[in-house]
Amino acid sequence: MAVPVLKQKLRTQLLNAIALASSLAALAALLNPDRVAIAMGVFLVGVNGYSQFFAMYVGVRAATAALALLAARQADQPVLGDITALFVLAQPAGRFVAAFAIGLPQGLLLVVCGIELAAGLLLLALRPRLRAAAP
């Protein structure tokens, strides 16, 4: 199997894995927001707290899943995978900023952060090279 074909297959599989993981995370947050919030160290208070939680943990995760699925199906549009990588990498980037003020995440969240970082960087590393336009 040629290297570009193998890279594309790996990128597609990674995008599908990101879509699955993001979908499951959104579903878990939708079905049991209090349990997910506690696991993430978030305290939900009042309507606005729950609204914000659902926006981030359900809405953004579902959008990331949809984008990853679209990118996996549209292999000829590598920018969709790049945008997916940015969504995935935005989370550890935000945690990195917070680390200066309050420290690194702990426990399960640190593991999740590592997985997000690895997946996002791997997705960018598997990006196909653009071919020069023919004269």
Side-chain angles (χ1 to χ4, degrees):
M1 187 178 286
V3 173
V5 175
L6 178 61
K7 274 181 70 172
Q8 183 57 46
K9 186 174 182 177
L10 290 172
R11 183 172 163 97
T12 299
Q13 289 175 341
L14 179 58
L15 284 163
N16 283 323
I18 290 169
L20 178 62
S22 295
S23 296
L24 291 174
L27 182 62
L30 180 67
L31 295 177
N32 200 341
D34 294 310
R35 185 172 184 180
V36 171
I38 289 168
M40 296 296 134
V42 176
F43 299 101
L44 300 179
V45 178
V47 174
N48 284 351
Y50 279 90
S51 179
Q52 186 62 22
F53 175 86
F54 275 85
M56 298 305 298
Y57 286 86
V58 177
V60 173
R61 296 263 189 207
T64 301
L67 182 59
L69 198 57
L70 180 63
R73 303 296 179 259
Q74 300 289 326
D76 60 334
Q77 299 289 326
V79 71
L80 294 173
D82 296 347
I83 295 168
T84 303
L86 290 175
F87 267 79
V88 172
L89 290 170
Q91 295 169 67
R95 291 186 184 107
F96 180 73
V97 171
F100 287 105
I102 56 174
L104 290 172
Q106 299 174 347
L108 176 63
L109 196 53
L110 183 59
V111 173
V112 169
C113 183
I115 292 169
E116 290 166 343
L117 186 60
L121 292 175
L122 183 58
L123 194 52
L124 291 176
L126 291 172
R127 187 186 201 285
R129 294 184 183 167
L130 296 176
R131 297 181 191 143

